[in-house]
Amino acid sequence: MLKEEMVVKNTVNLTLQEAYQLAYQALYRNGFSARQADAVAKNVTAGQRDGCHSHGLYRVLGCVRSLQAGKVAADAESTMTDTAPAVLRVDAHGAFSLLAYQAALPEFVAKVRHCGIAALAINHCVHYSALWADIEPLTEEGLVALACTPSHAWVTPAGGNQPLFGTNPIAFGWPRQGQPPFVFDMATSAAARGEIELHRRANKPLPEGWGIDSHGNPSTDAASVLQGAMLTFGGHKGSALAAMVELIAGPLIGDMTSKESLAYDQQTGSSPYGGELIIAMDPERFLGADKEEYLAKAEVLFNDMASQGARIPGERRFKARLHSEQFGVELPLALYEEIVALGQ
């Protein structure tokens, strides 16, 4: 329930449990199974908790929209296929990637421990979530991990003027003892799609270099860029990485490219449909008795970064997590009311 004291400058403050319940209610009331609603609600609450607002409770709106459009399965259960000693595939059968990943995680970790390196392909999944949420369970196991996924064709390749690539995020994680892991999660586009949508909702101009309008002209208007195309970060460098993600998390694992995903969407505005590739490595199997020596060298690298005043990737997110666990999270009042309405 909304209390008068919760509303401050058009925002609403919620505890993490209240944020979860808000998301769960909206998802469950609109037809998602209890297991699917729980997985999504936990994921978006974690995004909000960590200050990743583009992957926080705002995503509930898109999840419900995808279901209403018939573009995500509300209650599908995943199936796994053991294809090779170091390769595991899990089929989400049209549901969100989250439960499929959870189901495959124990066997995937066992493969990594056995082989030293292994790959997990999540197929036929709908994907909206931040990839750091898939990386962290692996770093908690002491593993080094990499993940990537295509999306919808929203991004033009360097030198082009039409959407072809997805935002195609790449995430990487390195475990650290006694402190949060080194984790980065970045789109190969100049910004995440959700960031542009949040700018549109707030009627804020975009930074230059984020996108072009439908005529191929540079634009700082979020609505125009959403109708035009986003740009890659770093020009041809980001473009090459985006193409790599298309290949290794699309054709390599027997799933869709971003262009195919957008065609499948049929202009419903649903979340991307396709696959995700996760690769994990076990330092124990690579290094054996030398493990501690070389992990210590990694800590020297992190300390050298910090000594120059550089921010360690993931550091800001973990600080936001600590703050949210103590003080809760804030939502724009308009977004809060939209989610409440979905749950009634």
Side-chain angles (χ1 to χ4, degrees):
M1 295 293 292
L2 176 62
K3 301 180 179 67
E4 288 294 326
E5 61 270 20
M6 293 166 63
V7 182
V8 181
K9 296 181 180 179
N10 293 322
T11 63
V12 177
N13 184 265
L14 303 171
T15 66
L16 294 180
Q17 181 60 29
E18 288 170 337
Y20 165 83
Q21 289 293 344
L22 176 68
Y24 179 88
Q25 185 84 346
L27 295 160
Y28 185 69
R29 286 290 181 89
N30 278 275
F32 285 101
S33 68
R35 277 170 47 79
Q36 291 286 347
D38 174 67
V40 174
K42 285 177 178 175
N43 181 271
V44 298
T45 300
Q48 199 74 34
R49 174 202 65 195
D50 284 14
C52 302
H53 297 157
S54 63
H55 289 82
L57 267 71
Y58 152 74
R59 291 286 176 164
V60 170
L61 307 180
C63 292
V64 172
R65 185 168 59 247
S66 296
L67 182 61
Q68 293 172 340
K71 297 300 181 180
V72 63
D75 57 1
E77 295 291 337
S78 61
T79 55
M80 281 186 288
T81 305
D82 190 340
T83 60
V87 179
L88 180 66
R89 297 180 70 169
V90 57
D91 194 325
H93 296 294
F96 290 120
S97 63
L98 304 173
L99 281 182
Y101 181 55
Q102 291 174 21
L105 189 58
E107 186 170 341
F108 178 48
V109 170
K111 280 183 173 289
V112 180
R113 297 260 190 251
H114 180 72
C115 297
I117 182 169
L120 170 65
I122 305 176
N123 288 119
H124 308 126
C125 68
V126 179
H127 210 294
Y128 72 86
S129 59
L131 290 180
W132 56 258
D134 294 343
I135 292 292
E136 281 193 24
L138 296 168
T139 58
E140 288 170 2
E141 294 284 343
L143 304 176
V144 176
L146 178 75
C148 60
T149 182
S151 57
H152 282 332
W154 289 319
V155 182
T156 185
N161 57 22
Q162 298 296 317
L164 178 63
F165 299 148
T167 54
N168 295 11
I170 300 171
F172 172 82
W174 180 278
R176 302 178 69 188
Q177 285 195 348
Q179 52 190 312
F182 172 93
V183 176
F184 71 75
D185 179 359
M186 65 178 193
T188 52
S189 53
R193 183 78 170 182
E195 287 290 345
I196 295 179
E197 176 62 23
L198 289 177
H199 276 73
R200 185 196 65 78
R201 290 173 63 90
N203 198 29
K204 291 171 54 180
L206 300 175
E208 293 183 2
W210 279 23
I212 56 177
D213 63 21
S214 58
H215 301 291
N217 300 314
S219 177
T220 59
D221 178 68
S224 295
V225 170
L226 291 171
Q227 293 299 315
M230 300 166 63
L231 298 174
T232 59
F233 82 87
H236 65 280
K237 295 180 180 180
S239 188
L241 288 173
M244 179 195 74
V245 172
E246 292 285 338
L247 295 170
I248 65 174
L252 179 65
I253 65 170
D255 226 308
M256 289 188 177
T257 63
S258 296
K259 183 178 179 180
E260 292 170 328
S261 175
L262 188 61
Y264 173 82
D265 180 69
Q266 297 178 314
Q267 298 183 321
T268 65
S270 301
S271 295
Y273 182 81
E276 177 183 352
L277 177 66
I278 304 170
I279 300 170
M281 294 156 275
D282 186 358
E284 186 76 37
R285 295 302 301 271
F286 275 83
L287 298 168
D290 295 329
K291 172 185 170 183
E292 297 306 321
E293 175 188 350
Y294 283 95
L295 291 185
K297 290 179 182 291
E299 291 304 312
V300 172
L301 174 65
F302 297 137
N303 290 335
D304 286 346
M305 292 171 66
S307 69
Q308 297 185 37
R311 180 171 64 86
I312 305 296
E315 189 175 55
R316 183 170 54 190
R317 187 166 56 78
F318 286 112
K319 286 181 179 179
R321 181 179 300 185
L322 292 174
H323 184 274
S324 297
E325 287 171 347
Q326 183 175 0
F327 299 106
V329 295
E330 284 196 351
L331 289 184
L333 178 58
L335 175 60
Y336 174 84
E337 291 176 338
E338 283 185 78
I339 300 175
V340 168
L342 288 175
Q344 291 178 342

